[in-house]
């Protein structure tokens, strides 16, 4: 009886020690993986994974970090033009996180190329590229963990917003500096200075109210269209869609493209021209009555058409109230 008691006690002690050893080994493995990922992240903002690395760092449990993986096909033989544009936007988000104050080892960015990880594509049943998937610290990815490129596009700002929704990590996107605007402003100032120098003996045009009124109107157009937002955020000129096409209008009310702001300027200008035509037709006294009627009708049509176009653009960007 005593031997049986000691035997059971020995078995219980061995089981306790073995479970502690297994738990210690797992925690040690997790620490090693995080350390290795952090060291690799110091060298590259976007880690390149093959099938083995994907299973070691993404599929292996336990994890206390999130991984955002871009599945792509960058080889020239794959002829995936859109993959390169998506890779550029993904790299901007990764670099913005890597050099920001919110950087930590709780989030990593990785890329799996089809030619280096075909088994991963097969395991996840992926038959298209590019695809962005968020792998959470616990559990398997849900439907919301797959980025909807078809509806939102893959601009860096959209990717950062999606990551914030999945991980609660707010990433402020910093794009590489673009000096084309500064160069254009310098050239414009040079032309204006040269023009004033050539007309230095006749500057009466500076007192022309119409010229200053036109400049004020164009300044309002520039501000209303979002030129200041473009200067602060630095968005792309246009956006390449998943199907290889080009999108000129951003699909969200939280972003816009450079060309989109120019389109808004033109539409606002057309609306103002229509209003001026109607105002001028009503302000005229005497003269040809038919001409006044034509001006008022044409102005009304121009304002109505272009206002409908700009309203439809806002409706496509704001998917909820007040355009429901």
């Amino acid at each position: 009886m005593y031997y049986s008691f000691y035997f059971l006690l020995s078995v219980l002690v061995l089981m306790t020690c073995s479970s502690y050893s297994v738990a210690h080994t797992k925690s040690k493995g997790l620490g090693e993986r995080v350390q290795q990922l952090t060291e690799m992240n110091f060298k590259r903002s976007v880690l390149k994974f093959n099938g083995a690395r994907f299973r070691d760092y993404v599929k292996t449990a336990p994890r206390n970090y999130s991984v955002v993986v871009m599945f792509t096909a960058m080889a020239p033989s794959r002829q995936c033009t859109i993959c390169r544009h998506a890779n550029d936007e993904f790299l901007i988000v990764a670099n913005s996180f890597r050099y920001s104050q919110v950087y930590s080892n709780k989030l990593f960015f990785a890329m799996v190329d089809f030619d280096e990880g075909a088994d991963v594509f097969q395991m996840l049943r992926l038959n298209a590229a590019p695809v962005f998937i968020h792998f959470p610290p616990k559990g398997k990815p849900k439907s919301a963990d797959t980025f909807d490129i078809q509806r939102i596009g893959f601009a860096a700002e959209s990717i950062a917003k999606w990551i914030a929704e999945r991980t609660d990590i707010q990433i402020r996107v910093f794009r590489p500096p673009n000096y084309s605007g500064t160069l254009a402003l310098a050239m414009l100032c040079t032309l204006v200075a040269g023009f004033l120098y050539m007309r230095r003996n006749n500057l009466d045009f500076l007192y022309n109210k119409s010229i200053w009124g036109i400049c004020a109107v164009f300044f309002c157009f520039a501000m209303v269209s979002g030129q200041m937002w473009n200067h602060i955020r630095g968005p792309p000129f246009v956006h390449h869609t998943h199907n290889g096409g080009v999108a000129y209008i951003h699909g969200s009310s939280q972003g816009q493209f450079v060309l989109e702001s120019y389109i808004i300027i033109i539409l606002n200008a057309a609306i103002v021209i229509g209003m001026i035509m109607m105002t001028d037709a009503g302000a005229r006294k005497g003269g040809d009555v038919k001409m006044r009627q034509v001006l008022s009708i044409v102005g009304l049509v121009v304002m109505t058409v272009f206002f409908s176009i700009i309203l439809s653009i806002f409706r496509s960007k704001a998917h909820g109230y007040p355009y429901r």
Side-chain angles (χ1 to χ4, degrees), residues 13-29:
V13 172
L14 288 174
M15 290 177 62
T16 304
C17 293
S18 61
S19 62
Y20 173 79
S21 177
V22 170
H24 181 69
T25 303
K26 286 185 177 181
S27 63
K28 182 179 179 181

Side-chain angles (χ1 to χ4, degrees), residues 249-257 260 264 312-320 323:
I249 305 297
H250 198 282
S252 172
S253 60
Q254 303 299 319
Q256 71 174 22
F257 305 130
E260 179 182 346
I264 298 300
S312 64
I313 293 176
F314 292 152
R315 183 177 181 179
S316 66
K317 294 171 68 69
H319 304 283
Y323 301 104

